[in-house]
């Protein structure tokens, strides 16, 4: 899910989405008046060669891109919204320009041979260019210009020596400046980096260029070029980080440079919109640096991982990453320490969701798979965005924030290739549907594009392609989406033949897309200085088609259309929109252009080159007092870059006077009131070859209209029905009041309508449709909602938990709030205003707590609760299980965790080869094993997002015997008391037991010190004589010793002492057993008699006084047979006694 914002603006603002780091995507507005690095536009010209150089930058005038996409490190740069606004007055042609040559294999080929004299020539006239046989001329080029055709003054300059460079950007420093900068580079696709670069500079509007490599360093490889947005004389050039990290600074429009070393690699730069020396740098390792002397000195601003969004005045807006969580943070540019930062949004947000645009800030929060969106208007507290209840967005994008409201595109749960267009109120909170099923498509970079276009120069006018019954049709609106209609097709074609096209079965359909290169006009063009003129590529028929397309133009804001070309052309506006220039698509080389002075009714052809040129881009009207446009391209795949400067001033006979203009009334099919006013514009009379004045005012008058129904749209929660009236939706209760409405205050009671934002109508039905002011009634609380600040139901013990209490309906100022935390503590507040920042609490024990909120006033109450799981991390788990168990006999398995938890953990028991675990909340289970053999038991404990486990192997037998083993004290000195050591010692003991196969032995060394173990004797595989063999083997276990090596003390001999059998699972019914049983009975009787008459036996009292403590009993780790007696430790000899006896026995044997 992506959440990005896009401005619908003219070419002065281009929207791009870039990937700044792994898992973080940001949406940033780019100004094409080139504070952007020149590389940013390089791949926009010409054909695509590789994904690494794809530039997915679009003019949102054509259509708004929706999806996120990743660009290479060469293309990543950041710009603020404030910066975009400061540059909005500059024309797009003032910005970066570049291209990628079309044939990759030919990049490494040398250019065609030229004489050394030609290469040293500083400027070449068009007439002096030699024609190349490899270029195929167009049919139009076979005809020379007419004798009476106005002549254009042009000159061509070839960037000699750069034929191998496949990346170039051009920048005109600003209005009233004759300086043009060009940076060409050779990008090696195998190495993935730039290997060569050349910097060129012109001081005569592009007639000649000077090579500046000697001034910046012959071996210096340049990667980016930035121009200060507030002082175009200041230029900053970055070196390629593969070679060095430096910045070259110029304060004289690139005439000279000073080089400064950097201790970090710059990924992108951001300039302040008013302070010309202020800049922020974003490094490759995701850190922020600031400079207040235009890049000469840099200081680290943010140490931790963070991502810059924009800089407003002295405030930095950025994202801060905390592991996988992300926060919205602001701070002062000159003091951004942790203590000075603020967090406008209290919780965590999606890493790619923060959008700062104009007066609005948007964030997205996703919980339990559903997204919620929040907006801050004019930096006020965030409020949840209200979209119609059951839209259930899968994806949401901010399209525009122009004219004091928000356009957003929402892909709802049942949509795949379309989006619904919603429009908000002034605060950006309440959204209503503007148009359903707007078409989307995939761009070259894989990003989604929505077919929506805002016509420049006329407020409220948009064009969109909508999918209706599997057909895509073009619709137009004049009141911001309140009403839409189809486009009326032209009545005749280019040849004057009648076109039979009847609405609604047939209409005109337009392609609403722009070229990836912003200096090719794309499929649709408008200009604010030429209101009402729309030039677009399209077709006539029942639906939109990309076959048999032609070029169409409207001179009256989409009411009537004319065909102007049978083929696709790029069309630009000249002379502040007073003239149009058209050039064929760049896939075809050409040497002619066409100019029209009567809004496309008549076109005159002009030659701008002696031989056909592949046009990669055009810069138009870069200067304020000159009429110059620059064509960029190449004559062939292997030729140098060709820069053709064209002065079109000779085509004008004079400057326009008042008599050269006429009035034009904006209308919608005869309706003069557009957005609540009648607008009259001034236009040059068709056919007048005069130059339009720069200071001429285009709008003559704007008179308010009387308000009518089409000036109002449906309010939030209301839907337009078939009769045109707005009625409540089934899910909306119009009587619901905001909790902020307190008794004694007033609120606006909606009539179901709201005035279209920026509509200037007055009187009429305004009073009837406008919300009415009413007094807030006293009412009981309803819709109480209790959540945590991050919408999580888990918390760590000892951490702060912030609870949020929200009341949908009720008097928040007269409603008492009580919150019971479930651990024996509770708080109470007199009204809801005390809880706006959240209620914090710390739990000091783990468990599941029922947290309850109660809202109560004199008219009633409402309750809400949640169950909070408070846990502490599990550090260790141990599975307690017997080593050997009897088949078909129930055994207990227990998991011990530390620290202990109470029913907040989940246990997964994997028994043997079972494919499904037994899941419990208890830490122990009982189980019966029915098959003999070795079984592996694993228990996993789940705590939060972590899982720990322990595994034991259990032997399942029909019967077995075991012996208790103790060891000489020297083994304790080598016992680190860890599981691995106990396993190794157990294997050593197995090998030390002679004459018994290892598969019949199982040794379990117990944790703790003194070291103890249990030796299990398992029956052999031949079960017929198993019991007899086991008894014989038990008698053979007498003397066991083994050697261990302890540190540097040498070899240590360890003695193992064997006691009587501890467990015998073999049932016995022999006479000896009966005799033993009788002995036990007599012994019990004797004990009873002694106890009964102990007062008469003095030594008994003495023994009782000395041995007043109860003897500890050693319990086996397995369940004992009922006939098995318990053996106390007092019946065993001490280790010292056993060692002495063992040494005496060995001495006698010797």
């Amino acid at each position: 899910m992506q959440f990005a914002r896009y401005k619908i603006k003219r070419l002065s603002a281009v929207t791009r989405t870039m990937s700044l780091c792994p898992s973080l995507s940001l949406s940033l507005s780019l100004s094409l008046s080139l504070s952007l690095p020149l590389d940013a536009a390089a791949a926009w010209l010409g054909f695509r060669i590789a994904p690494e150089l794809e530039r997915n930058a679009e003019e949102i005038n054509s259509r708004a891109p929706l999806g996120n996409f990743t660009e290479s490190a060469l293309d990543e740069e950041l710009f603020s919204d404030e910066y975009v606004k400061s540059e909005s007055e500059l024309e797009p042609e003032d910005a970066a320009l570049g291209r990628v040559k079309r044939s990759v294999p030919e990049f490494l080929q040398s250019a065609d041979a030229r004489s050394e004299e030609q290469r040293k020539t500083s400027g070449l006239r068009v007439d002096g260019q030699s024609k190349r046989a490899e270029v195929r001329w167009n049919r139009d080029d076979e005809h020379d210009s007419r004798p009476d055709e106005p002549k254009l003054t042009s000159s061509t300059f070839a960037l000699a020596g750069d034929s191998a460079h496949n990346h170039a950007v051009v920048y005109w420093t600003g209005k009233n400046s004759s300086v043009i900068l060009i940076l060409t580079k050779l990008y090696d696709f195998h190495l993935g980096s730039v290997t060569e670069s050349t910097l060129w500079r012109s001081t005569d509007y592009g007639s000649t260029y000077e090579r500046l490599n000697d001034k910046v360093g012959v071996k210096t490889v340049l990667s980016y070029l930035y121009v200060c947005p507030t002082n175009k004389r200041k230029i900053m050039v970055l070196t390629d980080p593969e070679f060095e990290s430096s910045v070259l600074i110029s304060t004289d429009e690139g005439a000279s440079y000073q080089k400064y070393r950097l201790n970090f690699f710059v990924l992108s730069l951001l300039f302040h919109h008013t302070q010309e020396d202020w800049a922020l740098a974003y490094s490759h390792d995701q850190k922020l640096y600031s400079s207040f002397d235009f890049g000469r000195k840099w200081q680290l601003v943010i140490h931790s991982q963070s991502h810059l969004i924009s800089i407003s005045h002295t405030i930095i807006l950025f994202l801060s990453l905390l592991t996988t969580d992300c926060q919205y943070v602001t701070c002062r540019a000159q003091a951004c320490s942790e203590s000075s930062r603020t967090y406008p949004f209290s919780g965590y947000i999606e890493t790619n969701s923060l959008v700062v645009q104009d007066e609005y800030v948007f964030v997205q929060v996703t919980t339990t798979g559903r997204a919620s969106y929040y907006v801050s208007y004019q930096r006020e507290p965030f409020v949840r965005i209200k979209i119609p209840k059951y839209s259930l967005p899968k994806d949401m994008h901010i399209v525009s924030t122009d004219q004091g409201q928000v356009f957003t595109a929402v892909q709802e749960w049942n949509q795949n290739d379309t989006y619904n267009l919603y429009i908000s109120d002034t605060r950006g909170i309440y959204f209503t549907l503007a148009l359903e099923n707007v078409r989307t498509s995939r761009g070259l970079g894989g990003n989604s594009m929505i077919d929506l276009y805002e016509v420049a120069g006329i407020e409220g006018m948009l064009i969109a392609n909508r999918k209706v019954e599997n057909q895509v049709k073009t619709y137009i609106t004049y009141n911001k989406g309140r009403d839409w209609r189809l486009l009326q097709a032209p009545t005749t074609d280019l040849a004057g033949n009648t076109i039979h096209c009847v609405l609604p079965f047939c209409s005109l359909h337009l392609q609403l897309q722009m070229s990836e290169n912003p200096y090719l006009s794309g499929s649709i063009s408008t200009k604010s200085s030429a209101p009402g003129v729309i030039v677009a590529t399209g077709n006539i028929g029942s639906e939109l088609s990309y076959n048999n397309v032609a070029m169409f133009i409207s001179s009256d804001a989409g009411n009537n259309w004319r065909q102007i070309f049978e083929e696709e052309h790029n069309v630009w506006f000249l002379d502040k929109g007073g003239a149009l220039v058209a050039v064929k698509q760049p896939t075809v080389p050409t040497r002619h252009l066409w100019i029209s002075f009567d809004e496309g009714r008549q076109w005159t052809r002009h030659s701008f080159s002696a031989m056909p040129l592949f046009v990669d881009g055009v810069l138009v009207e870069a200067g304020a007092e000159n009429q110059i446009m620059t064509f960029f391209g190449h004559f062939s795949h292997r030729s140098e870059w060709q820069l053709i400067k064209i002065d079109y001033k000779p085509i004008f006979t004079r400057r326009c006077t008042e008599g050269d203009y006429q009035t034009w009334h904006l209308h919608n099919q005869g309706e003069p009131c557009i957005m609540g006013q009648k607008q009259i514009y001034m236009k040059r009379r068709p056919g007048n070859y005069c130059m339009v004045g720069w200071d001429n005012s285009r709008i003559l008058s704007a008179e308010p209209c009387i308000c009518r129904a089409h000036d109002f749209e449906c309010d939030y929660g209301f839907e337009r029905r078939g009769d045109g009236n707005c009625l409540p939706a089934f899910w909306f209760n119009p009587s619901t009041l905001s909790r902020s409405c307190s008794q004694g205050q007033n609120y606006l009671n909606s009539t179901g309508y709201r005035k279209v934002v920026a509509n200037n109508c007055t009187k009429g039905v305004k009073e009837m449709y406008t919300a009415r002011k009413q007094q807030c009634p006293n009412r009981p609380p309803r819709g109480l909602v209790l959540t945590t600040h991050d919408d999580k139901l888990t918390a760590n013990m000892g951490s702060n938990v912030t609870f949020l209490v929200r009341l949908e309906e009720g008097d928040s100022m007269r409603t008492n709030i009580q919150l019971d935390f479930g651990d024996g503590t509770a708080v109470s507040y007199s009204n809801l205003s005390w809880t706006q920042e959240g209620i914090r609490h710390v739990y000091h024990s783990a468990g599941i707590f029922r947290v309850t909120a109660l809202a109560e006033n004199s008219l009633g109450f409402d309750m809400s609760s949640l169950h909070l799981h408070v846990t502490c991390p599990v550090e260790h788990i141990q599975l307690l299980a017997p080593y050997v168990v009897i088949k078909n006999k129930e055994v207990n398995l227990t998991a011990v965790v530390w620290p202990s938890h109470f029913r907040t953990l989940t246990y997964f028991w994997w028994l043997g080869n079972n494919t499904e675990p037994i899941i419990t909340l208890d830490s122990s289970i009982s189980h019966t094993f029915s098959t003999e053999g070795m079984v592996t038991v694993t228990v996993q404990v789940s705590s939060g997002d972590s899982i720990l486990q322990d595994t034991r192997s259990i032997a399942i037998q029909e019967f077995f015997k075991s012996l208790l083993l103790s060891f000489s004290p020297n083994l304790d000195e080598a016992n680190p008391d860890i599981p691995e050591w106990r396993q190794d010692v157990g294997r050593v003991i197995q090998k030390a037991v002679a004459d018994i196969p290892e598969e019949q032995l199982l040794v379990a060394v117990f944790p703790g010190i003194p070291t103890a173990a249990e030796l299990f004797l398992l029956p052999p595989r031949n079960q017929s004589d198993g019991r007899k063999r086991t008894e014989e083997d038990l008698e053979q276990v007498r003397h066991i010793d083994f050697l261990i090596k302890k540190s540097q003390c040498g070899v240590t001999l360890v003695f193992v002492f064997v006691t009587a059998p501890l467990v015998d699972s073999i049932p016995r019914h022999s006479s000896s057993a009966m005799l033993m049983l009788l002995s036990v009975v007599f012994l019990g009787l004797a004990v009873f008699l002694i106890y009964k008459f102990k007062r008469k036996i003095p030594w008994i009292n003495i023994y009782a006084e000395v041995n007043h403590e109860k003897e500890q009993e050693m319990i086996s780790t397995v369940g004992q047979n009922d006939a098995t007696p318990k053996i106390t430790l007092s019946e065993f000899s001490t280790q010292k006694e056993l060692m002495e006896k063992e040494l005496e026995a060995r001495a006698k044997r010797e």
Side-chain angles (χ1 to χ4, degrees), residues 518-811:
Y519 298 100
L520 297 177
S521 62
S523 62
I524 185 168
S525 298
T526 58
K527 194 176 182 68
S528 58
S529 59
V533 179
I534 307 173
V535 184
T537 302
N539 68 283
I540 299 173
S542 60
E543 63 177 326
L544 179 66
S545 173
Y546 289 88
N547 300 319
N548 300 321
V549 298
M551 297 294 297
F552 299 90
I553 190 171
S554 174
S555 301
D556 57 359
N559 288 281
N560 297 284
W561 295 84
R562 303 185 308 276
Q563 184 178 351
I564 55 175
F565 294 110
E566 292 181 346
E567 300 174 285
E568 291 187 64
H569 283 66
N570 289 284
V571 180
W572 295 272
F573 291 85
L574 298 180
D575 190 32
K576 298 297 288 183
L580 299 174
V581 60
V583 177
K584 285 187 177 181
Q585 288 288 358
T587 55
V588 179
T590 183
R591 62 190 182 97
H592 295 120
L593 56 82
W594 286 259
I595 296 181
S596 174
F597 290 89
D598 55 4
E599 298 175 347
R601 293 178 177 84
Q602 294 182 350
W603 296 84
T604 57
R605 190 183 68 173
H606 302 265
S607 298
F608 66 88
S609 175
M611 62 184 301
L613 178 78
F614 287 98
V615 178
D616 291 323
V618 178
L619 243 66
V620 181
E621 290 188 1
E625 299 298 334
N626 61 78
Q627 288 71 42
I628 295 176
M629 56 182 173
T630 304
F631 279 57
F632 302 89
H634 56 285
F635 294 136
S636 71
H637 299 313
R638 288 174 289 187
S639 68
E640 289 90 354
W641 298 89
Q642 306 295 326
L643 306 171
I644 301 179
K645 170 189 172 183
I646 301 174
D647 189 347
Y648 59 87
K649 187 175 183 179
I651 64 178
F652 298 110
T653 57
R654 57 185 172 81
R655 185 174 292 274
C656 294
T657 62
E658 185 176 350
D660 294 311
Y661 295 95
Q662 65 181 13
T663 60
W664 171 70
H665 295 256
L666 175 64
H667 66 94
N668 174 16
Q669 294 183 325
E671 171 56 53
C673 289
I674 304 296
M675 292 295 289
Q677 61 182 357
K678 299 177 181 179
Q679 302 176 51
I680 302 176
Y681 293 85
M682 294 291 292
K683 284 189 176 184
R684 182 174 54 189
R685 295 182 184 276
N688 288 5
Y689 284 71
C690 63
M691 187 184 304
V692 176
W694 290 97
D695 299 327
N696 179 69
S697 176
R698 290 287 172 172
I699 299 180
L700 183 62
S701 66
E703 177 186 348
C705 297
I706 299 299
C707 290
R708 290 180 292 177
H710 63 254
D711 296 313
F712 292 82
E713 61 189 2
C714 291
D715 203 352
Y716 173 77
F718 293 81
E719 297 175 348
R720 192 174 300 280
R721 303 300 170 86
D723 57 2
N725 294 323
C726 296
L727 298 177
F730 75 94
W731 50 265
F732 182 70
N733 182 9
S735 62
T736 301
L737 300 179
S738 170
R739 63 180 179 84
S740 61
C741 187
S742 182
Q743 187 176 9
Q745 297 179 344
N746 296 322
Y747 75 100
L748 294 177
N749 186 15
S750 176
T751 61
Y753 301 85
R754 68 185 185 193
K755 190 177 178 182
V756 175
V757 176
N759 188 292
N760 295 314
C761 72
T762 59
K763 301 180 181 179
V765 298
K766 180 178 181 180
E767 184 176 353
M768 182 176 63
Y769 285 152
T770 302
R772 298 176 178 88
K773 183 182 293 186
Q774 295 184 1
Q775 190 173 13
C776 295
N778 191 13
R779 58 200 186 282
R782 290 290 182 269
L784 183 66
V785 179
L786 173 64
T787 62
T788 59
H789 80 289
D790 54 1
D791 283 328
K792 295 180 179 179
L793 296 178
T794 61
N796 291 328
M797 185 179 69
S799 63
N800 260 318
V801 182
T802 302
F803 296 96
L804 301 178
V805 181
R806 186 175 70 253
L807 188 63
E808 294 294 339
E809 185 179 355
D811 190 344

Side-chain angles (χ1 to χ4, degrees), residues 1026-1126:
R1027 289 182 172 83
K1028 182 178 180 181
R1029 287 283 305 277
T1030 303
E1031 294 176 6
E1032 295 174 354
D1033 293 340
L1034 190 65
E1035 296 297 328
Q1036 294 178 9
V1037 179
R1038 287 290 184 268
H1039 307 287
I1040 306 174
D1041 56 54
F1042 58 90
L1043 301 177
I1044 64 171
K1045 181 180 290 186
K1046 176 187 175 184
S1047 302
Q1048 299 178 355
C1049 299
V1051 176
T1052 302
L1053 179 65
V1054 178
F1055 294 97
V1056 182
F1057 306 102
V1058 182
T1059 67
L1062 181 62
V1063 174
D1064 186 355
S1065 64
I1066 306 173
R1068 301 175 183 275
H1069 302 284
S1070 62
S1071 59
S1072 59
M1074 295 300 296
L1075 182 61
M1076 177 65 71
L1077 180 61
L1078 292 174
S1079 300
V1080 171
V1081 171
F1082 283 116
L1083 180 61
L1085 182 60
V1087 170
F1088 173 76
L1089 293 175
I1090 293 172
Y1091 174 76
K1092 188 70 175 175
F1093 303 102
K1094 64 180 180 180
R1095 293 183 180 180
K1096 299 179 181 180
I1097 307 176
W1099 60 268
I1100 291 295
N1101 291 331
I1102 298 174
Y1103 178 84
E1105 292 175 1
V1106 175
N1107 298 278
H1108 55 84
E1109 294 183 358
K1110 184 180 179 180
E1111 292 183 328
Q1112 181 181 358
E1113 294 181 345
M1114 176 64 72
I1115 306 299
S1116 171
T1117 59
V1118 300
Q1120 299 185 15
N1121 190 285
D1122 295 338
T1124 303
K1126 294 182 179 180

